[in-house]
Amino acid sequence: MECWELMPKIELHAHLNGSVRSSTLLELAGELGKRGTVVFSDVENVIMKSDRSLREVFKMFDLIHVVTTDHKTVTRITKEVIEDFASENVVYLELRTTPKRNDSKGMSKRSYMEAVLEGVRAVTMVEVDLSHELFAETPAVNERYNTGRKKIFVRFLLSIDRRETTEAAMETVNLALEMSRFGVVGIDLSGNPFIGEWSTFLPALEFAKMQGLPITLHCGEVPNPEEIHAMLDFLPRRIGHACCFEDEEWETLKKSKIPVEICLTSNIKTESISSVDVHHFAELYKSNHPLILCTDDVGVFCTSLSAEYALASSTFGIGKREMFQLARKAIEFVFVEDEVKQKLEEIFASAARELD
Ligand code: 6MZ
């Protein structure tokens, strides 16, 4: 495992609230339990259960949101999640989260995102490169750069939840546009794949595309050929999962060369794929289709990006050098400006020399 932890890696599919440490969730649930807001043992049972079907996972997210959705906690979990990825040598993190409106907590989508950005400012364990504008008002700005400490590039994708209306989706896209100077680089469509209609989100996604915002879609988590076709026709910059594709859809995907964010452990634990050795990673890798190994929800699925690399390597018999190339290739698929890509190239080039 150690070699995978040491290898520089790029994470492009991680949901903030799915990446919360179990220890933090239990601590927060304990506090709410004392105040009588939740029954601690109920929350504990759900959090500690290791395998959940896809339907159960979304019940779990509702519970996580009860525990995490106030400004202070959003700031805390953002800081912890960034530090956790940095500690396993993730050098570029595209973290996605659904901006949430919660009137009872005085929270708007914008104030939710401001709390997220506050979490980035709170990171001290590593050097964070987000956007110089984000740190512009921080007195210690000069101390943050060129300190020689470990560094992680962090960017955000704003998620549209499949439960949302067209108006709510549009609000998220507008927020992403406004926050682009603070490191928001794109849009994601996610949430319970058993609900919601593609036609509901399409106007907001088309608007985002027109404005030049890159888009990634959760695509084919459940069998829904009509939606999969519509999503592929939309030509998103990336898609996530692609578990329930039929031959025709594979053909369209391969022709399109749309990169796929692969989440092995998540797909196995949610029973979207019956076992790892039959995962579509193998076929896509063999046919040289653009791929990125990702975690999805490290907290919910008890994994890490290093563990995903270890799993892919041992299951599919891929050596360290090839895995390194896979990690490096992800630079091509990040939603960020060329200047950052160049810096990532330098990080991987230097790590490649150590590999020799
Ligand atoms: C679809 C998922 C997901 O946005 O509150 N999410 N959506 N499929 C998945 N695979 C299992 N895992 C996570 O993070 C949690 C939210 O991300 C989406 C769900 O909408 C979940 O509520 P945020 O930070």
Side-chain angles (χ1 to χ4, degrees):
M1 185 68 153
E2 204 194 352
C3 78
W4 308 116
E5 276 170 7
L6 291 175
M7 181 185 279
K9 293 173 291 299
I10 289 179
E11 170 63 84
L12 299 185
H13 188 134
H15 298 268
L16 173 62
N17 277 283
S19 305
V20 183
R21 297 173 190 160
S22 296
S23 57
T24 297
L25 281 181
L26 289 173
E27 185 192 318
L28 295 168
E31 283 164 22
L32 289 185
K34 274 187 221 145
R35 279 188 251 145
T37 315
V38 296
V39 179
F40 177 71
S41 56
D42 290 355
V43 181
E44 189 185 28
N45 283 340
V46 177
I47 292 170
M48 299 319 284
K49 195 170 171 222
S50 69
D51 284 359
R52 300 175 186 88
S53 70
L54 198 55
R55 281 181 200 275
E56 281 176 328
V57 160
F58 291 98
K59 285 194 202 136
M60 160 112 184
F61 281 123
D62 287 343
L63 191 71
I64 293 177
H65 290 143
V66 170
V67 178
T68 59
T69 308
D70 64 74
H71 294 109
K72 202 171 112 228
T73 310
V74 169
T75 297
R76 171 183 173 177
I77 62 172
T78 305
K79 171 184 186 287
E80 290 181 356
V81 167
I82 294 172
E83 291 186 344
D84 287 351
F85 277 114
S87 69
E88 58 156 335
N89 267 314
V90 169
V91 292
Y92 176 93
L93 167 65
E94 234 166 63
L95 189 58
R96 56 185 77 189
T97 193
T98 321
K100 294 167 190 74
R101 183 177 156 188
N102 186 340
D103 293 340
S104 69
K105 302 259 168 74
M107 180 180 277
S108 63
K109 287 193 177 206
R110 172 186 299 279
S111 73
Y112 174 92
M113 278 313 295
E114 279 162 359
V116 166
L117 296 178
E118 199 51 45
V120 184
R121 290 193 194 93
V123 173
T124 50
M125 195 189 91
V126 289
E127 188 177 331
V128 183
D129 180 311
L130 186 106
S131 144
H132 288 271
E133 280 202 47
L134 180 69
F135 292 118
E137 288 149 27
T138 311
V141 64
N142 293 328
E143 289 162 28
R144 285 186 172 267
Y145 293 95
N146 306 318
T147 55
R149 282 181 303 155
K150 204 183 238 189
K151 181 165 178 165
I152 182 168
F153 290 84
V154 180
R155 296 293 184 272
F156 289 98
L157 305 181
L158 301 197
S159 302
I160 295 169
D161 187 310
R162 295 182 62 105
R163 281 182 288 205
E164 289 184 297
T165 60
T166 306
E167 291 68 35
M170 200 64 100
E171 191 187 341
T172 296
V173 172
N174 278 317
L175 187 60
L177 289 167
E178 281 169 39
M179 290 197 144
S180 61
R181 67 200 176 99
F182 297 128
V184 173
V185 294
I187 293 289
D188 157 56
L189 174 67
S190 54
N192 188 339
F194 295 102
I195 60 174
E197 294 296 326
W198 172 244
S199 57
T200 308
F201 321 115
L202 190 57
L205 293 170
E206 275 176 340
F207 175 64
K209 202 179 202 186
M210 230 168 57
Q211 296 294 317
L213 271 179
I215 295 160
T216 176
L217 303 172
H218 281 60
C219 179
E221 270 190 295
V222 293
N224 185 345
E226 213 176 300
E227 185 179 272
I228 295 171
H229 280 287
M231 284 183 167
L232 294 178
D233 285 349
F234 179 75
L235 291 179
R237 282 271 292 272
R238 302 194 306 250
I239 59 167
H241 297 295
C243 295
C244 302
F245 277 34
E246 299 294 341
D247 290 349
E248 199 190 326
E249 289 131 20
W250 286 127
E251 214 177 291
T252 312
L253 175 73
K254 284 188 182 168
K255 270 196 212 132
S256 73
K257 300 212 166 15
I258 297 170
V260 184
E261 303 152 357
I262 296 278
C263 309
L264 295 172
T265 301
S266 159
N267 296 161
I268 304 309
K269 288 206 173 171
T270 56
E271 295 159 4
S272 303
I273 299 288
S274 59
S275 79
V276 68
D277 47 304
V278 299
H279 196 282
H280 46 286
F281 171 92
E283 163 56 23
L284 290 175
Y285 183 76
K286 206 170 71 196
S287 59
N288 233 347
H289 189 85
L291 289 180
I292 313 108
L293 275 184
C294 305
T295 53
D296 209 9
D297 301 289
V298 293
V300 171
F301 299 121
C302 304
T303 187
S304 66
L305 194 53
S306 311
E308 297 302 304
Y309 274 71
L311 181 62
S313 169
S314 63
T315 308
F316 307 109
I318 307 172
K320 198 174 159 191
R321 246 165 241 283
E322 289 71 29
M323 291 303 294
F324 180 84
Q325 287 312 328
L326 186 66
R328 190 177 194 166
K329 188 113 176 98
I331 299 174
E332 289 174 31
F333 314 127
V334 300
F335 287 172
V336 86
E337 64 275 9
D338 287 347
E339 196 194 326
V340 174
K341 285 189 183 178
Q342 186 55 42
K343 288 183 186 156
L344 293 173
E345 276 298 350
E346 286 162 20
I347 292 170
F348 276 89
S350 139
R353 283 192 290 277
E354 281 167 31
L355 212 66
D356 289 333

